Amino acid sequence: MLKVPDHQVAGHQAGDGKLGPLIDDSGKFYKPIQSDGRGSKEVAFYTSFSSNTNIPNHIRRFFPIFHGTKLIEASDGSGQQPHLVLQDIVSGHLNPSIMDIKIGSRTWHPQASEDYIQRCFKKDRETSSLALGFRISGLQIESKGSGFWKPDRKLIQKFTAEEVRLVLRQFVSSNSSADSGVDPDCTFVSTVYGGSGGILAQLLELKEWFEHQTILHFYSCSVLMVYEKESVVKEMSSGAEVKLVDFAHIVEGNGVIDHNFLGGLCSLINFISEILTCSDVHTAKASLQDPKNYCYTNCNTQN
């Protein structure tokens, strides 16, 4: 039985006659294959990636499992359409807190049309992408007793550097709320961001690979961060996961390091490391007088 995902925070969403992804009860995610060339590029990426022996096994865990393609009834009622069949990353979580972060100060790839480049550049400039090297594309944070805090995407696109930092703190807080007057308590920061299996450690593992890999360049790709607050409370383990998603704009690396992705990843690592290591997260002051200098310092963060 296919259904619309409850916990999708970014990308095209199904519903009201719109084409979007579907999920089933077996942990699979069905993503419509776009007909404008991006879909075929993403299929080609997954097909090639799954058989590429140059990808280390410990890095493969950061990518959704690929189950091939399949014709299924599209969510917009247009009949059977081809879909990518992928791992449903959040299927193992009952009430997941999720953040989708698009990495890179530049989200357009070199072969893109001039019109597409201009549209992407405008969005990169108007969001935090150009200044910080990443932007938050969507999020939902479980608020105990009141469901989820899921701000509107138009609001998210306007986040300043300080608001990005605030949301990254809210993501690991027990008092997450749309109320800007509530100071995030960062109750879950050490369990979710810290530790040998926490989000920071996973991001550092990815960073180490991107410092050397020259196989591919990941334009307009997102880091998806997922965890469950109930697991932290009950088991003192968040089961936090980091996954890379959205591969419609991947190009060959041709022996060159992907500095666009690596720079954005380092910037995100710096933000999370600052939150994690600050001795008093409630009174920590920002150090973003010059966001570009802050974000693109040599990222030698130690966990």
Side-chain angles (χ1 to χ4, degrees):
M1 182 69 179
L2 298 176
K3 56 187 177 183
V4 176
D6 291 329
H7 303 302
Q8 186 181 351
V9 298
H12 300 287
Q13 294 181 319
D16 298 325
K18 295 179 181 178
L19 184 63
L22 299 167
I23 58 172
D24 64 18
D25 293 326
S26 69
K28 290 186 176 65
F29 182 91
Y30 299 82
K31 182 177 181 179
I33 297 175
Q34 300 174 84
S35 59
D36 59 0
R38 288 179 291 178
S40 60
K41 287 180 180 178
E42 191 159 26
V43 171
F45 164 79
Y46 274 111
T47 304
S48 173
F49 185 85
S50 61
S51 60
N52 192 330
T53 56
N54 292 318
I55 309 298
N57 287 332
H58 72 281
I59 292 300
R60 290 184 183 279
R61 72 186 179 100
F62 294 111
F63 292 79
I65 298 169
F66 176 51
H67 298 285
T69 62
K70 187 175 182 179
L71 281 172
I72 64 169
E73 290 294 324
S75 61
D76 62 355
S78 60
Q80 289 204 334
Q81 300 289 342
H83 287 65
L84 280 163
V85 187
L86 305 169
Q87 170 193 6
D88 180 6
I89 297 166
V90 302
S91 65
H93 300 275
L94 184 60
N95 296 304
S97 290
I98 307 166
M99 193 176 297
D100 184 304
I101 303 173
K102 193 168 291 293
I103 303 294
S105 59
R106 163 181 158 181
T107 56
W108 46 271
H109 60 90
Q111 289 80 38
S113 67
E114 184 61 30
D115 177 64
Y116 185 80
I117 290 173
Q118 290 304 317
R119 283 188 284 121
C120 287
F121 181 71
K122 183 176 185 292
K123 196 166 187 177
D124 293 343
R125 187 179 61 242
E126 293 176 350
T127 63
S128 68
S129 288
L130 199 57
L132 304 183
F134 69 90
R135 69 172 178 257
I136 298 173
S137 295
L139 69 123
Q140 70 172 34
I141 306 175
E142 184 189 5
S143 297
K144 192 173 181 180
S146 58
F148 291 97
W149 176 49
K150 195 170 182 176
D152 184 84
R153 293 190 195 183
K154 290 183 179 179
L155 174 65
I156 294 172
Q157 289 177 3
K158 297 178 182 177
F159 280 170
T160 64
E162 289 306 316
E163 288 167 331
V164 167
R165 176 179 284 104
L166 176 64
V167 168
L168 286 168
R169 291 176 61 198
Q170 288 174 313
F171 190 63
V172 291
S173 295
S174 66
N175 61 342
S176 302
S177 164
D179 184 358
S180 59
V182 176
D183 191 29
D185 58 26
C186 295
T187 298
F188 310 120
V189 63
S190 60
T191 308
V192 178
Y193 286 158
S196 59
I199 283 173
L200 180 59
Q202 293 179 59
L203 292 176
L204 287 170
E205 192 173 350
L206 270 174
K207 168 184 166 285
E208 184 179 3
W209 184 60
F210 273 95
E211 286 175 329
H212 303 286
Q213 81 86 15
T214 59
I215 306 167
L216 299 166
H217 286 190
F218 290 76
Y219 292 103
S220 199
C221 176
S222 288
V223 163
L224 199 67
M225 307 191 309
V226 183
Y227 84 99
E228 194 170 336
K229 289 184 178 180
E230 191 172 346
S231 296
V232 180
V233 174
K234 290 184 177 180
E235 305 169 22
M236 290 305 294
S237 173
S238 65
E241 287 186 274
V242 168
K243 295 286 187 184
L244 299 184
V245 297
D246 297 335
F247 307 110
H249 304 280
I250 307 300
V251 299
E252 296 292 327
N254 296 321
V256 178
I257 289 175
D258 186 356
H259 291 288
N260 180 63
F261 190 95
L262 179 60
L265 186 61
C266 280
S267 177
L268 177 60
I269 287 171
N270 280 336
F271 270 73
I272 290 177
S273 181
E274 181 195 57
I275 294 168
L276 180 64
T277 58
C278 185
S279 59
D280 186 355
V281 294
H282 295 285
T283 58
K285 292 185 178 180
S287 54
L288 278 180
Q289 282 79 18
D290 186 342
K292 280 193 174 182
N293 287 343
Y294 174 81
C295 294
Y296 293 101
T297 53
N298 185 24
C299 186
N300 290 321
T301 306
Q302 297 296 316
N303 187 14

